[in-house]
Amino acid sequence: MKHTITILVENEFGVLTRVAGLFSARGYNIESLNVAPIMDATVSRMTLVTRGDERALEQIKKQLNKLIPVIKVDDISHAVHLEREMLLAKVVVSAESYDALIDLTDQAGAIIVDDHIDSHMIVEMTGRAEQLDLFLQQLEPFGVVEMTRTGPVGMRREAKGFSVTD
């Protein structure tokens, strides 16, 4: 089963290594990982996606909570939450394909962040993973030269936040 886990951590040296070490020690792969400061710059939110059974993930969560720089751990997989990720794709573009590519990005809600007619175009899209997968399939006929994705970031929907003081 896929698990999306959000972790509040203190911004200090080695936190990422310790968190990743807990997963690798148990043979779990981290499918995606995002880390960025929250409004309090001394704290960061990690959004981590992994797959595994409930029992093993419960153990990992308990051990994460024991790490000194970890403030709070939340498996939002079963909670009502939002997940979004970002895609950047470099696509071959020519004078002949330019208008069709513009139309596709407009219809998909993507934006063009770099445009070199008769060379390439870099498009950016933010949305659910399924939306990005579909958009990538639609870009393939144009020729995707390179692409990168952030992996999901997630947040609970209910009013109770995920703050340092919870």
Side-chain angles (χ1 to χ4, degrees):
M1 176 176 182
K2 178 182 149 192
H3 294 271
T4 302
I5 300 168
T6 56
I7 308 165
L8 282 183
V9 297
E10 295 174 13
N11 284 337
E12 59 181 58
F13 181 78
V15 175
L16 180 57
T17 302
R18 286 187 253 166
V19 169
L22 282 176
F23 282 81
S24 65
R26 278 145 194 85
Y28 279 89
N29 185 43
I30 296 173
E31 290 186 7
S32 73
L33 175 67
N34 285 286
V35 184
I38 62 171
M39 292 177 71
D40 176 352
T42 66
V43 177
S44 286
R45 178 193 310 264
M46 295 178 148
T47 304
L48 186 142
V49 177
T50 190
R51 292 188 187 275
D53 64 56
E54 296 288 336
R55 195 172 59 84
L57 258 298
E58 196 58 41
Q59 283 301 112
I60 289 175
K61 288 186 328 190
K62 286 178 183 175
Q63 291 184 354
L64 282 170
N65 275 311
K66 291 179 184 177
L67 292 177
I68 298 298
V70 171
I71 299 166
K72 188 169 185 177
V73 178
D74 191 16
D75 183 351
I76 63 174
S77 307
H78 303 298
V80 179
H81 70 283
L82 296 173
E83 285 187 22
R84 295 292 185 267
E85 65 179 274
M86 186 182 75
L87 161 77
L88 289 174
K90 186 185 297 181
V91 184
V92 176
V93 66
S94 63
E96 296 80 30
S97 65
Y98 187 81
D99 289 338
L101 195 50
I102 295 290
D103 288 344
L104 176 61
T105 57
D106 286 345
Q107 290 171 8
I111 60 172
I112 298 165
V113 293
D114 191 40
D115 187 358
H116 295 276
I117 198 161
D118 288 329
S119 172
H120 69 271
M121 179 183 292
I122 298 177
V123 295
E124 172 188 317
M125 185 171 176
T126 303
R128 293 185 325 275
E130 303 81 27
Q131 292 171 308
L132 301 186
D133 292 340
L134 177 61
F135 183 57
L136 269 174
Q137 289 174 359
Q138 294 170 328
L139 286 176
E140 282 178 12
F142 293 96
V144 177
V145 177
E146 185 179 355
M147 77 89 172
T148 187
R149 291 171 79 156
T150 61
V153 293
M155 182 179 286
R156 285 180 174 265
R157 288 190 68 180
E158 65 263 11
K160 179 185 171 219
F162 188 63
S163 68
V164 179
T165 58
D166 281 350

